[in-house]
Amino acid sequence: MGSEIYVHQHEPIDTINPNVYGHFAEHLGRCIYGGLWVGEDDRVPTEDGVRMDTVELLADLEMPVLRWPGGCFADDYHWEDGIGPREERPTRRNAFWTQGRADIPEEPNEFGTEEFMRVCDLLDTEPYLAANVGNGSPGEAADWLEYCNYDGDTELANRRAENGSEDPHDVKFWGVGNENWGCGGRLSPEEYAEQFRRYATYLRSVDGMLSERDVDLVSVGHINEDWNRKFLDALDDCAEFVQGPYDLMDHMSVHRYYEAGGDTDFDDEEYFRLLARSRKVGGDVDDAVDALSTYAPESDISIIVDEWGVWHPEATNTNGLEQENTVRDAISAAGVFDDLHERADVVSMANIAQTVNVLQCLVQTDEEDAWATPTYQVFDLYENHAGGTALDTVIETDEHEVEDEPYDVPLVSASASAHGDEVFVTLSNRALESEDVTVSLEDKSASLVDSEVLFADNAVEEYSTKDNADEFTPDDVDVVANGDGTFAVAVPESAVVGLTFEA
Ligand code: AHR
């Protein structure tokens, strides 16, 4: 029978914010130390202590935004520990992520604000900082913003200059805590609403003094819709006396992790179950939007999914949350991007967890080498959507039913975006056999410009290592142009295709 994809070129959804292809890096396991930062270690090429083999791989992806320093770490991080001469910085415990792992020492604070900004410069990426709400203070958060962004003659701005950065860092995105309903203090929605108002008020007071760039504040949301509703309701508690608590917020965040079976050891049902669970990312966005439309209908607060990805049982707290990264994981990422494109009008950013070595990483390292994972390849292909206009896309395909899950798995997932005269279409065949797919464009004279396929020769449980990473790079794929705006592709089992049309 095959599957049909109809691309409605004249039904734009919205611009796909390039920040949807964002990343997240935490002081956790080997993400920062060993992955991005090696300091004096000369076994790999470095620039100012930053690991350049990792940077080169990530720079090829044109990473738009990088969130740091956590995660749970953010709500126990005191930013002043990480500035000034490195030899004078204090060593602290890493409350969340060093337990039980002897080879990860305490937090040495070698990598702090200036080192992070150096990484962002080398990657040409936008920094996104998460302030400490858990055991910090609004003053500490406001001081960090002043240190980073203020260009006047204050002690903090001068300290930044002494630390090597005369010019402000102009950090646009500021998270007000992280998972404050959990590791960030176990706050009730009402308690977090109170904290959010306090922090946002003081951050906004610095924001008002900045000559360059306004900041965007990101509140913590939850995948539990009730939590979001209670938080948004309580945020307005001060409305009798002061206006506009919703104006304090530019974005609300949600986090979604999913798993099924093991990282490499899973059966066919677990393969599909993981794909079904990955669909919750789109559902979480819809739930957050619903809550916002009830409590702040006039606002243009958008959704940031600032942690998402596969978290397998093998990634335990005792191994620095490392796991093998398979083709199955990468295929789930392709589906998540299709779902985010469909919601381009409400999603302003997404950050995969985490960029190097940890969870669904894009790059893995050892002491000598850095290499790309299959998920890296999906990012590389899909990033061609960034900045384009998402187009309404209708897919006719069979579904694989998954018991006891809120979602089944359409065998073909797809999305499309317009870029001037070009239309870019991505599609994944999640079936465990090849599938004939027809792509129809409205422009009957459309022609194919480029076509590639990922994972045509890889089984779903294959994962990348330093010796085989180039086996996951794209191949050519045959596409038959029917001459009437329709194109036929025989998509191999569990593979992802990218098609560029002139239309
Ligand atoms: O990414 C690992 C952890 O997952 C983060 O620190 C936390 O925010 C989430 O629970």
Side-chain angles (χ1 to χ4, degrees):
M1 275 262 304
S3 300
E4 310 272 343
I5 297 171
Y6 299 96
V7 179
H8 295 160
Q9 287 170 258
H10 306 299
E11 291 181 39
I13 302 172
D14 212 325
T15 303
I16 297 174
N17 194 316
N19 289 341
V20 162
Y21 293 95
H23 293 230
F24 165 47
E26 180 168 13
H27 287 237
L28 192 175
R30 296 189 307 124
C31 185
I32 299 293
Y33 296 107
L36 277 166
W37 171 263
V38 288
E40 302 296 314
D41 189 339
D42 59 5
R43 281 173 292 187
V44 288
T46 58
E47 233 178 276
D48 303 327
V50 178
R51 191 172 172 152
M52 290 309 289
D53 50 358
T54 301
V55 163
E56 273 160 28
L57 278 167
L58 293 174
D60 282 348
L61 288 183
E62 297 179 22
M63 176 199 290
V65 61
L66 180 58
R67 175 174 181 253
W68 176 82
C72 295
F73 181 82
D75 280 296
D76 194 32
Y77 181 62
H78 300 284
W79 68 273
E80 286 187 270
D81 288 347
I83 56 165
R86 261 182 229 118
E87 59 288 359
E88 292 172 19
R89 297 184 193 173
T91 297
R92 306 276 185 207
R93 60 188 160 64
N94 179 332
F96 292 100
W97 301 119
T98 52
Q99 302 99 319
R101 179 140 189 196
D103 60 327
I104 301 173
E106 292 86 7
E107 170 57 48
N109 280 305
E110 257 181 57
F111 189 90
T113 302
E114 296 301 334
E115 289 77 14
F116 175 64
M117 297 303 164
R118 185 76 186 112
V119 168
C120 291
D121 281 351
L122 289 164
L123 290 171
D124 194 19
T125 198
E126 180 95 51
Y128 167 14
L129 299 180
N132 179 346
V133 169
N135 66 9
S137 72
E140 183 185 18
D143 282 353
W144 199 11
L145 172 56
E146 179 181 332
Y147 174 89
C148 288
N149 287 16
Y150 191 60
D151 63 356
D153 180 18
T154 63
E155 192 268 339
L156 286 169
N158 293 336
R159 248 207 280 171
R160 184 190 65 236
E162 278 162 29
N163 292 336
S165 297
E166 186 89 37
D167 293 333
H169 295 303
D170 292 335
V171 179
K172 183 173 175 63
F173 296 104
W174 290 81
V176 180
N178 168 80
E179 295 191 0
N180 297 96
W181 37 263
C183 62
R186 293 193 167 76
L187 304 183
S188 68
E190 295 78 11
E191 288 166 334
Y192 180 68
E194 194 177 321
Q195 292 306 321
F196 181 82
R197 279 198 307 260
R198 290 182 71 217
Y199 274 73
T201 300
Y202 289 94
L203 287 164
R204 283 277 185 244
S205 71
V206 181
D207 186 16
M209 297 166 67
L210 301 176
S211 55
E212 279 305 314
R213 206 172 178 199
D214 289 343
V215 302
D216 275 19
L217 299 185
V218 185
S219 74
V220 165
H222 201 297
I223 51 179
N224 179 321
E225 212 195 341
D226 263 3
W227 197 96
N228 290 340
R229 287 183 178 276
K230 287 181 177 165
F231 159 59
L232 291 168
D233 193 18
L235 200 58
D236 206 22
D237 280 354
C238 63
E240 194 183 336
F241 309 106
V242 67
Q243 277 190 326
Y246 299 112
D247 297 344
L248 294 170
M249 190 195 310
D250 300 288
H251 314 269
M252 186 161 92
S253 77
V254 289
H255 293 175
R256 172 61 74 178
Y257 293 98
Y258 44 91
E259 44 92 22
D263 57 356
T264 59
D265 182 16
F266 51 88
D267 60 26
D268 289 358
E269 271 319 292
E270 288 164 336
Y271 164 78
F272 283 111
R273 189 171 297 280
L274 184 118
L275 297 177
R277 290 180 175 170
S278 72
R279 296 191 65 199
K280 290 180 181 174
V281 176
D284 296 334
V285 170
D286 297 341
D287 287 349
V289 168
D290 278 354
L292 281 166
S293 62
T294 307
Y295 292 96
E298 305 300 320
S299 80
D300 57 359
I301 298 167
S302 58
I303 309 302
I304 288 185
V305 189
D306 55 15
E307 291 184 30
W308 69 272
V310 182
W311 185 325
H312 293 296
E314 286 79 359
T316 64
N317 194 12
T318 52
N319 76 352
L321 301 197
E322 295 194 26
Q323 59 191 17
E324 302 300 358
N325 279 270
T326 62
V327 165
R328 174 177 70 149
D329 302 337
I331 289 173
S332 80
V336 168
F337 281 131
D338 292 331
D339 291 344
L340 294 178
H341 297 160
E342 196 185 326
R343 295 164 176 81
D345 51 338
V346 290
V347 176
S348 49
M349 191 191 295
N351 308 71
I352 186 123
Q354 301 192 5
T355 191
V356 191
N357 288 329
V358 169
L359 296 175
Q360 194 172 356
C361 55
L362 282 77
V363 172
Q364 286 174 307
T365 66
D366 64 12
E367 286 167 356
E368 285 106 30
D369 291 303
W371 61 96
T373 63
T375 297
Y376 176 105
Q377 305 300 343
V378 165
F379 268 65
D380 204 14
L381 179 70
Y382 266 67
E383 270 177 339
N384 295 316
H385 283 293
T389 304
L391 300 173
D392 180 59
T393 304
V394 173
I395 304 157
E396 285 178 7
T397 186
D398 289 341
E399 293 211 332
H400 183 98
E401 281 176 32
V402 186
E403 256 179 49
D404 303 326
E405 294 295 336
Y407 300 98
D408 291 324
V409 180
L411 292 182
V412 169
S413 172
S415 57
S417 57
H419 309 250
D421 290 343
E422 288 193 342
V423 173
F424 181 57
V425 178
T426 43
L427 60 104
S428 6
N429 172 22
R430 286 100 70 97
L432 293 170
E433 55 194 38
S434 88
E435 176 79 357
D436 291 328
V437 179
T438 305
V439 180
S440 302
L441 282 88
E442 282 168 339
D443 179 350
K444 302 295 170 216
S445 61
S447 58
L448 185 74
V449 177
D450 193 28
S451 56
E452 48 189 341
V453 61
L454 286 172
F455 317 133
D457 299 321
N458 304 112
V460 286
E461 60 280 351
E462 278 183 44
Y463 57 93
S464 57
T465 65
K466 68 193 271 181
D467 300 318
N468 74 359
D470 56 4
E471 290 170 19
F472 300 87
T473 52
D475 292 312
D476 294 337
V477 62
D478 288 334
V479 179
V480 178
N482 297 322
D484 57 355
T486 68
F487 298 82
V489 202
V491 186
E493 67 176 77
S494 56
V496 182
V497 167
L499 303 171
T500 309
F501 301 97
E502 205 168 272

PDB file of all heavy atoms in Angstrom, residues 24 26 28 67 70-73 97 178-179 181 183 255 257 307 311 321 353-354 358-359, ligand 1:
ATOM      1  N   PHE A  24      22.037  21.243  25.645  1.00  0.00           N
ATOM      2  CA  PHE A  24      22.095  21.418  27.102  1.00  0.00           C
ATOM      3  C   PHE A  24      23.359  20.727  27.611  1.00  0.00           C
ATOM      4  O   PHE A  24      23.631  19.579  27.249  1.00  0.00           O
ATOM      5  CB  PHE A  24      20.827  20.794  27.707  1.00  0.00           C
ATOM      6  CG  PHE A  24      20.861  20.548  29.180  1.00  0.00           C
ATOM      7  CD1 PHE A  24      21.306  21.525  30.060  1.00  0.00           C
ATOM      8  CD2 PHE A  24      20.420  19.344  29.709  1.00  0.00           C
ATOM      9  CE1 PHE A  24      21.319  21.299  31.424  1.00  0.00           C
ATOM     10  CE2 PHE A  24      20.416  19.105  31.069  1.00  0.00           C
ATOM     11  CZ  PHE A  24      20.870  20.091  31.931  1.00  0.00           C
ATOM     12  N   GLU A  26      25.570  20.123  31.271  1.00  0.00           N
ATOM     13  CA  GLU A  26      25.524  20.272  32.734  1.00  0.00           C
ATOM     14  C   GLU A  26      26.832  19.793  33.348  1.00  0.00           C
ATOM     15  O   GLU A  26      27.535  18.959  32.761  1.00  0.00           O
ATOM     16  CB  GLU A  26      24.346  19.424  33.264  1.00  0.00           C
ATOM     17  CG  GLU A  26      24.176  19.478  34.764  1.00  0.00           C
ATOM     18  CD  GLU A  26      22.853  18.887  35.238  1.00  0.00           C
ATOM     19  OE1 GLU A  26      22.177  18.204  34.422  1.00  0.00           O
ATOM     20  OE2 GLU A  26      22.500  19.102  36.409  1.00  0.00           O
ATOM     21  N   LEU A  28      27.882  17.403  35.012  1.00  0.00           N
ATOM     22  CA  LEU A  28      27.380  16.065  35.306  1.00  0.00           C
ATOM     23  C   LEU A  28      28.266  15.074  34.571  1.00  0.00           C
ATOM     24  O   LEU A  28      28.427  15.186  33.349  1.00  0.00           O
ATOM     25  CB  LEU A  28      25.926  15.979  34.812  1.00  0.00           C
ATOM     26  CG  LEU A  28      25.037  14.811  35.199  1.00  0.00           C
ATOM     27  CD1 LEU A  28      23.630  15.021  34.689  1.00  0.00           C
ATOM     28  CD2 LEU A  28      25.547  13.456  34.787  1.00  0.00           C
ATOM     29  N   ARG A  67      22.434  25.582  26.768  1.00  0.00           N
ATOM     30  CA  ARG A  67      21.970  25.842  28.142  1.00  0.00           C
ATOM     31  C   ARG A  67      22.986  25.290  29.134  1.00  0.00           C
ATOM     32  O   ARG A  67      23.481  24.166  28.974  1.00  0.00           O
ATOM     33  CB  ARG A  67      20.599  25.177  28.323  1.00  0.00           C
ATOM     34  CG  ARG A  67      20.020  25.249  29.715  1.00  0.00           C
ATOM     35  CD  ARG A  67      18.606  24.680  29.701  1.00  0.00           C
ATOM     36  NE  ARG A  67      17.967  24.732  30.985  1.00  0.00           N
ATOM     37  CZ  ARG A  67      17.754  23.675  31.768  1.00  0.00           C
ATOM     38  NH1 ARG A  67      18.148  22.456  31.379  1.00  0.00           N
ATOM     39  NH2 ARG A  67      17.142  23.806  32.928  1.00  0.00           N
ATOM     40  N   GLY A  70      23.104  23.775  34.526  1.00  0.00           N
ATOM     41  CA  GLY A  70      22.261  22.618  34.792  1.00  0.00           C
ATOM     42  C   GLY A  70      20.886  22.985  34.342  1.00  0.00           C
ATOM     43  O   GLY A  70      20.668  24.087  33.830  1.00  0.00           O
ATOM     44  N   GLY A  71      20.050  22.066  34.548  1.00  0.00           N
ATOM     45  CA  GLY A  71      19.939  20.828  35.314  1.00  0.00           C
ATOM     46  C   GLY A  71      19.933  21.079  36.839  1.00  0.00           C
ATOM     47  O   GLY A  71      19.965  22.209  37.334  1.00  0.00           O
ATOM     48  N   CYS A  72      19.821  19.953  37.529  1.00  0.00           N
ATOM     49  CA  CYS A  72      19.799  20.000  38.989  1.00  0.00           C
ATOM     50  C   CYS A  72      21.000  20.767  39.534  1.00  0.00           C
ATOM     51  O   CYS A  72      20.911  21.430  40.563  1.00  0.00           O
ATOM     52  CB  CYS A  72      19.784  18.573  39.544  1.00  0.00           C
ATOM     53  SG  CYS A  72      18.280  17.667  39.124  1.00  0.00           S
ATOM     54  N   PHE A  73      22.142  20.676  38.848  1.00  0.00           N
ATOM     55  CA  PHE A  73      23.350  21.356  39.306  1.00  0.00           C
ATOM     56  C   PHE A  73      23.106  22.860  39.466  1.00  0.00           C
ATOM     57  O   PHE A  73      23.664  23.511  40.358  1.00  0.00           O
ATOM     58  CB  PHE A  73      24.485  21.096  38.299  1.00  0.00           C
ATOM     59  CG  PHE A  73      25.796  21.736  38.687  1.00  0.00           C
ATOM     60  CD1 PHE A  73      26.644  21.120  39.601  1.00  0.00           C
ATOM     61  CD2 PHE A  73      26.181  22.948  38.130  1.00  0.00           C
ATOM     62  CE1 PHE A  73      27.851  21.714  39.959  1.00  0.00           C
ATOM     63  CE2 PHE A  73      27.385  23.538  38.474  1.00  0.00           C
ATOM     64  CZ  PHE A  73      28.222  22.924  39.405  1.00  0.00           C
ATOM     65  N   TRP A  97      25.485  15.011  41.363  1.00  0.00           N
ATOM     66  CA  TRP A  97      25.981  14.128  40.310  1.00  0.00           C
ATOM     67  C   TRP A  97      27.336  13.471  40.538  1.00  0.00           C
ATOM     68  O   TRP A  97      27.906  12.940  39.607  1.00  0.00           O
ATOM     69  CB  TRP A  97      26.020  14.881  38.984  1.00  0.00           C
ATOM     70  CG  TRP A  97      24.679  15.393  38.588  1.00  0.00           C
ATOM     71  CD1 TRP A  97      24.347  16.690  38.399  1.00  0.00           C
ATOM     72  CD2 TRP A  97      23.477  14.643  38.339  1.00  0.00           C
ATOM     73  NE1 TRP A  97      23.034  16.807  38.049  1.00  0.00           N
ATOM     74  CE2 TRP A  97      22.469  15.548  38.002  1.00  0.00           C
ATOM     75  CE3 TRP A  97      23.169  13.275  38.383  1.00  0.00           C
ATOM     76  CZ2 TRP A  97      21.169  15.159  37.700  1.00  0.00           C
ATOM     77  CZ3 TRP A  97      21.872  12.876  38.088  1.00  0.00           C
ATOM     78  CH2 TRP A  97      20.895  13.821  37.750  1.00  0.00           C
ATOM     79  N   ASN A 178      15.551  25.506  37.837  1.00  0.00           N
ATOM     80  CA  ASN A 178      15.431  24.283  37.047  1.00  0.00           C
ATOM     81  C   ASN A 178      14.655  23.253  37.863  1.00  0.00           C
ATOM     82  O   ASN A 178      14.994  23.001  39.025  1.00  0.00           O
ATOM     83  CB  ASN A 178      16.828  23.713  36.748  1.00  0.00           C
ATOM     84  CG  ASN A 178      16.761  22.307  36.177  1.00  0.00           C
ATOM     85  OD1 ASN A 178      16.499  22.132  34.993  1.00  0.00           O
ATOM     86  ND2 ASN A 178      16.983  21.284  37.005  1.00  0.00           N
ATOM     87  N   GLU A 179      13.635  22.689  37.283  1.00  0.00           N
ATOM     88  CA  GLU A 179      12.848  21.645  37.960  1.00  0.00           C
ATOM     89  C   GLU A 179      12.676  21.973  39.442  1.00  0.00           C
ATOM     90  O   GLU A 179      12.992  21.147  40.316  1.00  0.00           O
ATOM     91  CB  GLU A 179      13.489  20.263  37.761  1.00  0.00           C
ATOM     92  CG  GLU A 179      13.485  19.828  36.310  1.00  0.00           C
ATOM     93  CD  GLU A 179      13.866  18.368  36.078  1.00  0.00           C
ATOM     94  OE1 GLU A 179      14.150  17.646  37.047  1.00  0.00           O
ATOM     95  OE2 GLU A 179      13.879  17.955  34.896  1.00  0.00           O
ATOM     96  N   TRP A 181      10.148  22.040  41.112  1.00  0.00           N
ATOM     97  CA  TRP A 181       9.159  21.138  41.709  1.00  0.00           C
ATOM     98  C   TRP A 181       9.849  19.854  42.187  1.00  0.00           C
ATOM     99  O   TRP A 181       9.254  19.034  42.873  1.00  0.00           O
ATOM    100  CB  TRP A 181       8.074  20.780  40.690  1.00  0.00           C
ATOM    101  CG  TRP A 181       8.596  20.615  39.279  1.00  0.00           C
ATOM    102  CD1 TRP A 181       8.576  21.560  38.291  1.00  0.00           C
ATOM    103  CD2 TRP A 181       9.239  19.462  38.719  1.00  0.00           C
ATOM    104  NE1 TRP A 181       9.153  21.059  37.144  1.00  0.00           N
ATOM    105  CE2 TRP A 181       9.572  19.774  37.381  1.00  0.00           C
ATOM    106  CE3 TRP A 181       9.565  18.192  39.214  1.00  0.00           C
ATOM    107  CZ2 TRP A 181      10.231  18.863  36.532  1.00  0.00           C
ATOM    108  CZ3 TRP A 181      10.218  17.288  38.378  1.00  0.00           C
ATOM    109  CH2 TRP A 181      10.537  17.634  37.061  1.00  0.00           C
ATOM    110  N   CYS A 183      14.301  18.465  42.058  1.00  0.00           N
ATOM    111  CA  CYS A 183      15.635  18.664  42.636  1.00  0.00           C
ATOM    112  C   CYS A 183      15.917  20.126  42.987  1.00  0.00           C
ATOM    113  O   CYS A 183      16.755  20.406  43.833  1.00  0.00           O
ATOM    114  CB  CYS A 183      16.714  18.114  41.706  1.00  0.00           C
ATOM    115  SG  CYS A 183      16.784  18.932  40.090  1.00  0.00           S
ATOM    116  N   HIS A 255      10.258  19.616  30.562  1.00  0.00           N
ATOM    117  CA  HIS A 255      11.295  18.594  30.323  1.00  0.00           C
ATOM    118  C   HIS A 255      10.623  17.264  30.053  1.00  0.00           C
ATOM    119  O   HIS A 255       9.648  16.926  30.736  1.00  0.00           O
ATOM    120  CB  HIS A 255      12.185  18.424  31.567  1.00  0.00           C
ATOM    121  CG  HIS A 255      13.022  19.631  31.880  1.00  0.00           C
ATOM    122  ND1 HIS A 255      13.804  19.718  33.011  1.00  0.00           N
ATOM    123  CD2 HIS A 255      13.210  20.782  31.191  1.00  0.00           C
ATOM    124  CE1 HIS A 255      14.432  20.884  33.014  1.00  0.00           C
ATOM    125  NE2 HIS A 255      14.080  21.552  31.931  1.00  0.00           N
ATOM    126  N   TYR A 257      11.802  13.138  29.361  1.00  0.00           N
ATOM    127  CA  TYR A 257      12.699  12.006  29.076  1.00  0.00           C
ATOM    128  C   TYR A 257      11.828  10.777  28.851  1.00  0.00           C
ATOM    129  O   TYR A 257      10.719  10.683  29.376  1.00  0.00           O
ATOM    130  CB  TYR A 257      13.635  11.752  30.267  1.00  0.00           C
ATOM    131  CG  TYR A 257      14.641  12.876  30.496  1.00  0.00           C
ATOM    132  CD1 TYR A 257      14.419  13.859  31.440  1.00  0.00           C
ATOM    133  CD2 TYR A 257      15.806  12.926  29.748  1.00  0.00           C
ATOM    134  CE1 TYR A 257      15.338  14.887  31.642  1.00  0.00           C
ATOM    135  CE2 TYR A 257      16.738  13.941  29.943  1.00  0.00           C
ATOM    136  CZ  TYR A 257      16.492  14.917  30.886  1.00  0.00           C
ATOM    137  OH  TYR A 257      17.407  15.927  31.077  1.00  0.00           O
ATOM    138  N   GLU A 307      14.943  20.399  28.250  1.00  0.00           N
ATOM    139  CA  GLU A 307      15.616  19.103  28.395  1.00  0.00           C
ATOM    140  C   GLU A 307      14.709  18.078  27.742  1.00  0.00           C
ATOM    141  O   GLU A 307      13.520  18.012  28.071  1.00  0.00           O
ATOM    142  CB  GLU A 307      15.823  18.730  29.867  1.00  0.00           C
ATOM    143  CG  GLU A 307      16.840  19.605  30.565  1.00  0.00           C
ATOM    144  CD  GLU A 307      17.114  19.171  32.014  1.00  0.00           C
ATOM    145  OE1 GLU A 307      17.007  17.966  32.310  1.00  0.00           O
ATOM    146  OE2 GLU A 307      17.423  20.062  32.821  1.00  0.00           O
ATOM    147  N   TRP A 311      16.425   8.508  28.059  1.00  0.00           N
ATOM    148  CA  TRP A 311      17.177   8.245  29.301  1.00  0.00           C
ATOM    149  C   TRP A 311      17.000   6.767  29.606  1.00  0.00           C
ATOM    150  O   TRP A 311      15.983   6.366  30.169  1.00  0.00           O
ATOM    151  CB  TRP A 311      16.622   9.114  30.421  1.00  0.00           C
ATOM    152  CG  TRP A 311      17.359   9.060  31.728  1.00  0.00           C
ATOM    153  CD1 TRP A 311      17.983   7.998  32.306  1.00  0.00           C
ATOM    154  CD2 TRP A 311      17.518  10.165  32.651  1.00  0.00           C
ATOM    155  NE1 TRP A 311      18.525   8.350  33.504  1.00  0.00           N
ATOM    156  CE2 TRP A 311      18.264   9.662  33.746  1.00  0.00           C
ATOM    157  CE3 TRP A 311      17.108  11.489  32.663  1.00  0.00           C
ATOM    158  CZ2 TRP A 311      18.591  10.469  34.845  1.00  0.00           C
ATOM    159  CZ3 TRP A 311      17.442  12.276  33.755  1.00  0.00           C
ATOM    160  CH2 TRP A 311      18.176  11.774  34.827  1.00  0.00           C
ATOM    161  N   LEU A 321      25.556   9.065  34.062  1.00  0.00           N
ATOM    162  CA  LEU A 321      24.442   9.075  33.097  1.00  0.00           C
ATOM    163  C   LEU A 321      24.916   8.825  31.667  1.00  0.00           C
ATOM    164  O   LEU A 321      24.470   9.491  30.737  1.00  0.00           O
ATOM    165  CB  LEU A 321      23.643  10.378  33.166  1.00  0.00           C
ATOM    166  CG  LEU A 321      22.985  10.764  34.494  1.00  0.00           C
ATOM    167  CD1 LEU A 321      21.916  11.833  34.263  1.00  0.00           C
ATOM    168  CD2 LEU A 321      22.372   9.588  35.218  1.00  0.00           C
ATOM    169  N   ALA A 353      19.206  16.675  25.850  1.00  0.00           N
ATOM    170  CA  ALA A 353      20.001  16.362  27.038  1.00  0.00           C
ATOM    171  C   ALA A 353      20.807  15.089  26.749  1.00  0.00           C
ATOM    172  O   ALA A 353      20.208  14.063  26.515  1.00  0.00           O
ATOM    173  CB  ALA A 353      19.083  16.146  28.241  1.00  0.00           C
ATOM    174  N   GLN A 354      22.108  15.236  26.819  1.00  0.00           N
ATOM    175  CA  GLN A 354      22.927  16.422  26.901  1.00  0.00           C
ATOM    176  C   GLN A 354      23.954  16.374  25.786  1.00  0.00           C
ATOM    177  O   GLN A 354      24.194  15.313  25.251  1.00  0.00           O
ATOM    178  CB  GLN A 354      23.616  16.499  28.242  1.00  0.00           C
ATOM    179  CG  GLN A 354      22.623  16.528  29.415  1.00  0.00           C
ATOM    180  CD  GLN A 354      23.293  16.896  30.746  1.00  0.00           C
ATOM    181  OE1 GLN A 354      24.462  17.217  30.832  1.00  0.00           O
ATOM    182  NE2 GLN A 354      22.515  16.820  31.817  1.00  0.00           N
ATOM    183  N   VAL A 358      26.781  12.498  27.930  1.00  0.00           N
ATOM    184  CA  VAL A 358      25.711  12.225  28.895  1.00  0.00           C
ATOM    185  C   VAL A 358      24.378  12.008  28.178  1.00  0.00           C
ATOM    186  O   VAL A 358      24.033  12.744  27.248  1.00  0.00           O
ATOM    187  CB  VAL A 358      25.611  13.396  29.896  1.00  0.00           C
ATOM    188  CG1 VAL A 358      24.364  13.294  30.752  1.00  0.00           C
ATOM    189  CG2 VAL A 358      26.861  13.451  30.774  1.00  0.00           C
ATOM    190  N   LEU A 359      23.630  10.972  28.612  1.00  0.00           N
ATOM    191  CA  LEU A 359      22.289  10.665  28.079  1.00  0.00           C
ATOM    192  C   LEU A 359      22.305  10.632  26.540  1.00  0.00           C
ATOM    193  O   LEU A 359      23.182  10.022  25.944  1.00  0.00           O
ATOM    194  CB  LEU A 359      21.258  11.643  28.656  1.00  0.00           C
ATOM    195  CG  LEU A 359      21.090  11.530  30.191  1.00  0.00           C
ATOM    196  CD1 LEU A 359      20.141  12.602  30.726  1.00  0.00           C
ATOM    197  CD2 LEU A 359      20.579  10.157  30.587  1.00  0.00           C
TER     198      LEU A 359
HETATM  199  O1  AHR B   1      19.743  15.811  32.504  1.00  0.00           O
HETATM  200  C1  AHR B   1      19.848  15.185  33.745  1.00  0.00           C
HETATM  201  C2  AHR B   1      18.888  15.755  34.787  1.00  0.00           C
HETATM  202  O2  AHR B   1      17.573  15.500  34.396  1.00  0.00           O
HETATM  203  C3  AHR B   1      18.912  17.248  34.978  1.00  0.00           C
HETATM  204  O3  AHR B   1      19.916  17.650  35.855  1.00  0.00           O
HETATM  205  C4  AHR B   1      17.570  17.518  35.575  1.00  0.00           C
HETATM  206  O4  AHR B   1      17.083  18.801  35.272  1.00  0.00           O
HETATM  207  C5  AHR B   1      16.694  16.425  34.978  1.00  0.00           C
HETATM  208  O5  AHR B   1      15.938  15.790  35.942  1.00  0.00           O
END
